[in-house]
Amino acid sequence: MFKPSDLFDLSQTGHAALFDGCEQAWEALKNIKAYLKANLRPGLHNRCEGKAYIGPDVFIGEGTMVEDGAMIKGPAIIGRNCQIRHNAYFREDVIVGDGCVVGNSCELKNAFLFNNCEVPHFNYVGDSILGYRAHLGAGVVLSNVKVIKGNVAVEFEGRRIDTGLRKFGALLGDRADVGCNAVLNPGSIMGRGAVIYPCVNWRGFLPANMIAKNQAAVEVVARRA
């Protein structure tokens, strides 16, 4: 159910080796640091608009635009033809595929994005993997640490599966879409084509092509003079 191939088209990344030996897709999160250390060859082939900080351990592919105010600390690999917009913040250990958007005031840390992902506005992506053409609406947070100490567990069919990870945000399958201001709690998993509506507080596994809706009622009253 949670094998890499269950959630992701591994042909839609140049870094499929990250999943080698992984029985469960979240195990790849432990591999990002070592993968970057072994495969990163720093080089900047991008264009810049304004001034951005780009650390020494960063590779950026051709056709990518880095806008004013972005900070890319590294280690990081960023693919071709991406948009890294104003005030984007890349912390340590980030891999971004081709054709991706990382937008204004978005923060990425120990994260892996397949090709054509969109993380466009005020998003936090920590210890998470986003599949091909996955999309986050404005303000979406992928929370990666439990309030109560301990490993993050995945909830599935009434069972709690211990991931062995202290920090684990979310896995978003190919073409998964999350609406504005939704929060995905640690250990959340979305299947391919799944949708979470705006403002939903989500925990657990959402199967492929299913929709999670917020059923909270809205009260309408007369305006007082």
Side-chain angles (χ1 to χ4, degrees):
M1 178 63 70
F2 302 127
K3 294 179 180 179
S5 59
D6 292 333
L7 298 170
F8 309 121
D9 180 352
L10 298 181
S11 71
Q12 291 295 335
T13 177
H15 309 284
L18 191 70
F19 295 95
D20 287 352
C22 294
E23 288 294 324
Q24 308 291 353
W26 59 74
E27 295 171 10
L29 292 168
K30 298 184 293 185
N31 299 337
I32 293 176
K33 182 181 289 291
Y35 181 89
L36 283 166
K37 186 174 181 180
N39 294 280
L40 176 60
R41 302 292 182 268
L44 304 180
H45 307 284
N46 60 290
R47 297 173 293 136
C48 279
E49 288 184 351
K51 295 182 179 180
Y53 173 83
I54 302 176
D57 295 326
V58 176
F59 174 88
I60 305 179
E62 296 179 356
T64 290
M65 172 61 74
V66 180
E67 293 184 2
D68 187 69
M71 171 173 272
I72 306 172
K73 292 174 63 175
I77 295 175
I78 300 172
R80 300 168 295 173
N81 302 316
C82 296
Q83 298 178 43
I84 311 302
R85 295 175 178 166
H86 180 62
N87 285 347
Y89 180 28
F90 287 66
R91 289 168 59 191
E92 300 82 0
D93 305 321
V94 176
I95 301 173
V96 172
D98 296 337
C100 293
V101 174
V102 179
N104 176 43
S105 300
C106 293
E107 179 179 346
L108 278 64
K109 172 257 177 188
N110 197 55
F112 177 46
L113 277 58
F114 278 72
N115 296 341
N116 299 108
C117 281
E118 293 187 349
V119 181
H121 314 286
F122 308 104
N123 304 122
Y124 176 68
V125 179
D127 300 280
S128 297
I129 301 173
L130 278 61
Y132 172 63
R133 290 195 179 278
H135 171 265
L136 302 183
V140 170
V141 172
L142 306 183
S143 178
N144 62 332
V145 181
K146 293 170 56 179
V147 174
I148 300 173
K149 291 184 178 180
N151 291 342
V152 175
V154 171
E155 298 182 3
F156 177 64
E157 294 183 343
R159 297 182 292 122
R160 291 174 59 83
I161 304 171
D162 187 347
T163 65
L165 299 173
R166 177 71 180 89
K167 295 184 178 182
F168 169 26
L171 305 177
L172 274 62
D174 297 336
R175 301 182 187 274
D177 202 334
V178 185
C180 297
N181 291 323
V183 174
L184 274 61
N185 287 276
S188 294
I189 300 177
M190 298 177 65
R192 285 189 168 106
V195 175
I196 292 177
Y197 271 22
C199 299
V200 170
N201 186 338
W202 178 260
R203 181 186 304 277
F205 171 55
L206 182 62
N209 300 311
M210 300 299 286
I211 299 175
K213 297 183 179 181
N214 191 339
Q215 296 296 325
V218 176
E219 183 180 6
V220 179
V221 299
R223 182 175 177 180
R224 295 181 179 180

